[in-house]
Amino acid sequence: MQLVFGQDELVADWVGVNLGTEILPPYTAIGGTIDGRSLVLGAVFSQWNGSNLEITLYGPGALKRGPLRAFYHYAFIQLNATRVSANVKRANKRMLKAMTRLGFEFEGTSKRFYGPTKQDDALRFAMFPDTAKDWMK
């Protein structure tokens, strides 16, 4: 997989369209492509406060070790973040299962985060440098 850097708006728009949401700047984004043209993976980093960084991921079947290492390197090495946070819609069962495999820890629920029903709740996860170290190798 080829990683795509410097195309923040393109990647963020692609991730947002695929997740059915709008991702507002400021953000930094890293994409992934197999053919050099079509995105198959995107990570958008936003809400940086000097310690915490939000990540929004999209890429069914494309969350492989190489791109994940790049994402975690950006957050924990380049920015020296103490944590990376992610919200996952309760209805997104596939991503909810993947979060702990990716090294995230469940933190809690934000009711009605994405809409008016229980299925619109956001389940909040966090990753820390020590739990991401296996991906850094």
Side-chain angles (χ1 to χ4, degrees):
M1 178 175 300
Q2 290 179 297
L3 294 179
V4 177
F5 298 96
Q7 299 291 320
D8 297 344
E9 186 174 350
L10 175 77
V11 173
D13 287 348
W14 181 82
V15 169
V17 164
N18 281 288
L19 292 176
T21 189
E22 183 178 7
I23 302 173
L24 301 173
Y27 49 68
T28 298
I30 302 171
T33 180
I34 294 173
D35 61 10
R37 294 183 306 272
S38 303
L39 290 169
V40 296
L41 174 65
V44 182
F45 300 93
S46 61
Q47 306 296 315
W48 173 238
N49 71 7
S51 295
N52 183 65
L53 183 65
E54 296 280 332
I55 187 170
T56 305
L57 286 170
Y58 181 78
L63 291 174
K64 306 292 184 202
R65 186 175 293 273
L68 289 170
R69 274 197 309 252
F71 303 159
Y72 300 137
H73 187 273
Y74 173 71
F76 294 120
I77 304 300
Q78 286 185 250
L79 293 181
N80 200 30
T82 59
R83 59 182 278 138
V84 172
S85 301
N87 290 308
V88 180
K89 192 173 183 178
R90 183 184 296 275
N92 190 345
K93 301 297 184 195
R94 186 174 180 182
M95 192 58 163
L96 288 172
K97 288 180 183 177
M99 293 305 285
T100 53
R101 286 194 314 267
L102 295 173
F104 284 87
E105 299 174 18
F106 176 73
E107 287 195 318
T109 302
S110 296
K111 294 180 179 181
R112 301 183 196 121
F113 190 86
Y114 293 108
T117 71
K118 184 171 183 164
Q119 288 301 305
D120 295 320
D121 291 353
L123 303 184
R124 185 145 181 93
F125 293 85
M127 175 183 283
F128 305 93
D130 55 326
T131 58
K133 63 184 173 190
D134 290 340
W135 293 103
M136 303 301 285
K137 297 176 185 171

